[in-house]
Amino acid sequence: RAREIPRHRTQASQMARIAVFNQKGGVGKTTTSLNLSAALARRGRRPLSIDLDPQAHLSYISGTTVDEADRSVFAYYEKSTPLSELIRIGTGGWEVIPAHVELSKVDSQFGKGPSALNRLNSGIAKEDLNTGRPVLIDCCPLLGVLSLNAIFAADRVLVPVSADYLAVKGVLQVEKTLKALEHVLKKRIERRYVMTRFDTRRNMSWQIYRTITERFGPDMCETRISESVSVAESPAANQDVFTHAPGSRGAKDYDALLDELLATGFVD
């Protein structure tokens, strides 16, 4: 299938900023953020994960949970604390800026004007946080100031799509949102859709995959993340799938996803 030619950056040291986003919950968004970060770390890519979800599930699983909001990314919004001062080392060995439940106040406290929507973008750029390493931003499953901050800060959006009947409706809504934001950003938002919770034994999974692939063509990843016990159980153990079950189907799937994203230039 035809693919876009990988882009070359004017500064080779600047790597991708990827927002992992879907307006529908329960699609494997945080799981994908976690395991893609782990896959990058295993290859020496030194990713930085930013947890921008007030539920803070990525922070919990990666072992970077903080009790005080002023030690989380909320401090950047509330007090302009430099993002670099909020970085913690996760149990998987890569760097994480943790979330806190207080993030849920960002929408009401910090407005929705252009400056508010560009806050995260400004902070990452000011400190060159994606110099020499990719940045992955785990979004909350709502379209508000936090998710818009992530999309405005990112140059690419990865959209996990679960293999269920509501997936097609949900992914069309995401596409509609991204197209609307392109008018504001005045550029096309590069994106990839990746199927999660895929069961090869179910005709429904294949039907949904074909439907979305026909709709989005090269924006749909060929790699599918299988429904697997290892992927489902690893968060309960506060581990990524590579640490929890390195030889599992889930670990192989996320390794294959990274291979595809690297090959197409989506991750550099």
Side-chain angles (χ1 to χ4, degrees), residues 119-135:
R119 282 291 300 279
L120 185 61
N121 182 37
S122 298
I124 293 173
K126 182 178 180 180
E127 299 189 69
D128 293 325
L129 291 182
N130 68 313
T131 296
R133 63 180 171 187
V135 174

Side-chain angles (χ1 to χ4, degrees), residues 125-198:
K126 182 178 180 180
E127 299 189 69
D128 293 325
L129 291 182
N130 68 313
T131 296
R133 63 180 171 187
V135 174
L136 283 83
I137 309 168
D138 188 34
C139 302
C140 58
L142 295 171
L143 186 62
V145 171
L146 288 173
S147 291
L148 290 172
N149 258 246
I151 295 171
F152 276 51
D155 49 22
R156 298 152 199 193
V157 176
L158 181 64
V159 184
V161 184
S162 59
D164 60 60
Y165 278 123
L166 295 177
V168 176
K169 182 178 181 180
V171 80
L172 290 175
Q173 183 59 51
V174 171
E175 182 72 7
K176 182 179 179 180
T177 296
L178 295 179
K179 284 185 176 296
L181 291 174
E182 287 174 350
H183 292 292
V184 180
L185 295 169
K186 301 188 186 309
K187 66 176 183 179
R188 185 181 189 274
I189 300 172
E190 187 175 357
R191 61 267 214 175
R192 293 289 186 274
Y193 296 92
V194 57
M195 185 69 69
T196 61
R197 301 179 63 185
F198 188 87

Side-chain angles (χ1 to χ4, degrees), residues 20-221:
V20 183
F21 170 70
N22 195 322
Q23 291 163 252
K24 183 178 182 295
V27 298
K29 177 184 57 60
T30 296
T31 301
T32 296
S33 298
L34 172 76
N35 290 317
L36 195 55
S37 296
L40 284 161
R42 282 164 46 88
R43 302 191 193 192
R45 296 291 182 124
R46 303 190 310 110
L48 171 64
S49 298
I50 302 177
D51 190 351
L52 219 60
D53 187 342
Q55 297 179 93
H57 289 163
L58 178 64
S59 305
Y60 177 75
I61 300 168
S62 64
T64 59
T65 301
V66 291
D67 294 329
E68 299 85 13
D70 62 5
R71 297 171 62 199
S72 76
V73 70
F74 180 72
Y76 171 70
Y77 289 95
E78 184 183 43
K79 302 177 180 179
S80 296
T81 302
L83 291 169
S84 58
E85 294 183 13
L86 302 170
I87 293 174
R88 298 168 64 87
I89 304 298
T91 53
W94 71 89
E95 295 183 331
V96 180
I97 298 179
H100 190 276
V101 68
E102 290 291 298
L103 269 176
S104 60
K105 298 179 179 178
V106 167
D107 277 52
S108 59
Q109 287 187 359
F110 303 108
K112 299 182 180 180
S115 60
L117 298 181
N118 273 300
R119 282 291 300 279
L120 185 61
N121 182 37
S122 298
I124 293 173
K126 182 178 180 180
E127 299 189 69
D128 293 325
L129 291 182
N130 68 313
T131 296
R133 63 180 171 187
V135 174
L136 283 83
I137 309 168
D138 188 34
C139 302
C140 58
L142 295 171
L143 186 62
V145 171
L146 288 173
S147 291
L148 290 172
N149 258 246
I151 295 171
F152 276 51
D155 49 22
R156 298 152 199 193
V157 176
L158 181 64
V159 184
V161 184
S162 59
D164 60 60
Y165 278 123
L166 295 177
V168 176
K169 182 178 181 180
V171 80
L172 290 175
Q173 183 59 51
V174 171
E175 182 72 7
K176 182 179 179 180
T177 296
L178 295 179
K179 284 185 176 296
L181 291 174
E182 287 174 350
H183 292 292
V184 180
L185 295 169
K186 301 188 186 309
K187 66 176 183 179
R188 185 181 189 274
I189 300 172
E190 187 175 357
R191 61 267 214 175
R192 293 289 186 274
Y193 296 92
V194 57
M195 185 69 69
T196 61
R197 301 179 63 185
F198 188 87
D199 189 339
T200 58
R201 301 166 299 178
R202 299 172 67 192
N203 289 333
M204 181 182 70
S205 293
W206 288 105
Q207 181 182 353
I208 293 169
Y209 177 74
R210 286 192 293 267
T211 298
I212 298 177
T213 299
E214 289 170 5
R215 175 65 177 79
F216 297 114
D219 286 341
M220 184 69 181
C221 290

